[in-house]
Amino acid sequence: MSGLYRHTNLMTACLGLTLATATVADTAHVPQPWRADAVVMGRDETYDKERFLHELTFRHRLATPGVTDDGIRGTAGSVSSDRLYYDFRFRQDFGFREGRNGFLLDIQRSEDLDGAYDRQLIGFRQNLGDHSEIWLQGDVFSDKSEADVYFSARHHLTDDSWIHASWILPDAYFNDKTDTQDAFEDKPQTFFLQWHRQGAGDMGGTTLSLSLSPESRFISRQEDLTVDNESLRAALTHRQHQGDWLLELHLEGERTRRKYQLQGDDGNRPAGFDRDHLKALGSATLTSHRLTPTIGLAYVRLDENGFFGRALDDEGDIRRREPTLFGEFSVQAAPSTVISPGLYLSAPDIRQSFEQEKDLRHSGFLGKLALPIDIQLSASDNAVLTINPTFYLHTAGFGGGNLQLHWPL
């Protein structure tokens, strides 16, 4: 009986490795304040045809720790010979005084459509009664002009749900502390609102998030431009058990508008930039079957046109429509190791052109085979390391390696 009990525990632990295999990066569920490097420099690469297929195959495989949980959550994968896609977060609420207070640490390294970013948020939490709390956090640098300040409040509606609001002041002391000639004419601010409800078990729940950055104006004399920026980002993630099925739906979108006035070698000319982005993913996992098969559908829609920032220093027009059908199943290779072969079949329609770069046109099949190996590092903590080699199907070549670590705390 004791052997059977241990075997059952191992099977349960390994099953936990394979659930929620469609989990995405969840960056839209983290506050995304205005960033100077985003609006002035922008991203420094023109995406190739496989870029979003890479992100899909390198997405987070585990639901825990989630975006609202403490723990380590990281994925990194090669998207070209010299580019790495990554999304890493270490979040911990160090509670004290019986949980009435907390020291908050939130380290983030990730990227969005404007490029890579790093944040090291530190702060404190103070409970107000039994159901509410206030947070004060900062993204602090040795250059005081670059510090962001976060004022937040959270109210617990029930034992399983809460609403969280943040008012963020990016580069809060910039005009007073900078040693450059750059300046804000209209200071940026970002409002973040999030509602979360925990569902049954670790895998269930709903999270709805919204980040709004109203119009601001930044004058960069170092880069010879003035930029007005406004953006809106929203995301919805829902997971639930329905009979023998684990169902997941993830939606996120972005609307960004910028107006540039370019000086220097550009003379003195206006240039706009518009971005509309939509990402959708749905999946179903049959948890009662020993192979826990998953089937899902993902879709990316991206429209960008105008001046992309000083990093590319170019104007372009991008239109991408990328539906992808994917599926996988899981096989227990050892008591603490699961292999989950996955197939990704995409039919993107891509129209991408820049003034100084080669045009990209693609309409047709792209595909990848992924062979993620989930290794349980700690059964008690549900800590999992994933090694995920992938292979192209449309060119019969290596499609990039991926490493993940998920460690709830």
Side-chain angles (χ1 to χ4, degrees):
M1 287 295 292
S2 61
L4 176 62
Y5 179 75
R6 287 195 299 271
H7 179 71
T8 302
N9 278 349
L10 286 172
M11 288 293 291
T12 302
C14 289
L15 177 63
L17 300 181
T18 64
L19 297 180
T21 54
T23 305
V24 292
D26 286 341
T27 54
H29 286 307
V30 178
Q32 296 292 338
W34 180 97
R35 306 197 317 268
D37 59 344
V39 301
V40 175
M41 304 305 295
R43 68 175 181 261
D44 62 352
E45 61 174 318
T46 56
Y47 294 150
D48 61 17
K49 63 184 180 182
E50 293 96 358
R51 173 63 190 214
F52 293 111
L53 182 60
H54 284 309
E55 290 190 20
L56 181 61
T57 59
F58 298 157
R59 72 197 184 280
H60 292 282
R61 291 185 48 77
L62 269 71
T64 55
V67 71
T68 61
D69 303 323
D70 289 346
I72 300 170
R73 176 183 173 87
T75 178
S78 174
V79 296
S80 70
S81 60
D82 57 358
R83 289 281 177 177
L84 189 71
Y85 167 77
Y86 61 87
D87 179 58
F88 171 85
R89 190 182 188 200
F90 168 64
R91 180 185 187 273
Q92 183 69 55
D93 181 340
F94 297 92
F96 58 94
R97 294 184 62 225
E98 299 180 341
R100 295 190 298 272
N101 299 92
F103 173 72
L104 304 172
L105 180 62
D106 192 345
I107 300 173
Q108 305 167 24
R109 297 192 66 190
S110 190
E111 59 184 275
D112 58 14
L113 294 169
D114 287 316
Y117 62 84
D118 296 84
R119 299 190 186 107
Q120 293 82 36
L121 301 181
I122 58 173
F124 292 93
R125 168 182 56 80
Q126 171 67 57
N127 281 22
L128 301 177
D130 295 330
H131 303 292
S132 300
E133 54 197 57
I134 55 174
W135 299 12
L136 175 62
Q137 294 170 284
D139 190 5
V140 183
F141 298 87
S142 58
D143 182 350
K144 296 180 182 179
S145 68
E146 298 179 3
D148 296 354
V149 180
Y150 290 58
F151 300 98
S152 304
R154 178 175 293 186
H155 178 68
H156 294 262
L157 304 171
T158 66
D159 290 341
D160 299 320
S161 67
W162 43 255
I163 188 167
H164 183 101
S166 297
W167 177 36
I168 305 168
L169 302 178
D171 296 356
Y173 311 105
F174 188 86
N175 283 2
D176 298 326
K177 304 292 185 179
T178 184
D179 57 3
T180 72
Q181 295 299 310
D182 295 353
F184 289 116
E185 189 169 302
D186 293 316
K187 291 185 177 181
Q189 54 186 331
T190 298
F191 301 96
F192 177 73
L193 185 66
Q194 184 174 77
W195 172 76
H196 175 76
R197 179 180 60 82
Q198 185 65 39
D202 292 336
M203 302 300 175
T206 305
T207 305
L208 176 63
S209 304
L210 180 72
S211 285
L212 172 64
S213 295
E215 185 169 330
S216 61
R217 173 171 291 184
F218 183 63
I219 302 171
S220 177
R221 295 182 176 87
Q222 295 184 107
E223 298 296 337
D224 293 321
L225 61 78
T226 298
V227 55
D228 296 348
N229 177 86
E230 57 178 318
S231 65
L232 173 67
R233 302 186 187 192
L236 168 67
T237 300
H238 176 73
R239 301 186 188 94
Q240 73 174 61
H241 285 275
Q242 190 71 37
D244 293 333
W245 293 90
L246 174 64
L247 307 176
E248 178 178 6
L249 174 67
H250 178 84
L251 301 171
E252 68 177 80
E254 176 187 348
R255 181 185 185 275
T256 293
R257 298 292 183 266
R258 292 174 187 148
K259 298 177 183 177
Y260 292 92
Q261 192 68 34
L262 305 177
Q263 292 97 30
D265 295 339
D266 298 288
N268 190 354
R269 66 179 181 89
F273 177 79
D274 295 342
R275 173 188 294 140
D276 294 291
H277 177 229
L278 174 66
K279 180 190 293 183
L281 186 148
S283 70
T285 301
L286 183 58
T287 60
S288 61
H289 194 280
R290 64 183 181 85
L291 298 179
T292 57
T294 295
I295 187 168
L297 182 65
Y299 180 73
V300 172
R301 176 190 177 107
L302 177 64
D303 292 293
E304 295 177 308
N305 65 82
F307 181 70
F308 277 70
R310 285 301 190 196
L312 288 176
D313 209 17
D314 201 358
E315 296 197 32
D317 190 351
I318 295 176
R319 179 187 182 276
R320 301 180 72 127
R321 307 288 186 268
E322 305 191 26
T324 304
L325 178 68
F326 64 91
E328 73 171 36
F329 63 91
S330 300
V331 177
Q332 184 177 343
S336 60
T337 303
V338 171
I339 302 176
S340 303
L343 195 64
Y344 299 79
L345 307 175
S346 182
D349 181 33
I350 303 170
R351 300 290 181 268
Q352 181 171 297
S353 61
F354 287 86
E355 292 183 356
Q356 303 175 40
E357 296 282 342
K358 184 179 179 180
D359 291 355
L360 173 61
R361 297 284 189 271
H362 179 84
S363 181
F365 171 71
L366 295 178
K368 287 183 80 174
L369 171 67
L371 296 172
I373 304 169
D374 297 324
I375 303 169
Q376 191 166 60
L377 303 180
S378 170
S380 60
D381 295 327
N382 197 25
V384 177
L385 174 70
T386 300
I387 302 170
N388 180 22
T390 67
F391 304 89
Y392 288 131
L393 299 177
H394 53 284
T395 60
F398 183 62
N402 170 225
L403 190 67
Q404 299 187 28
L405 177 64
H406 291 80
W407 199 309
L409 297 174

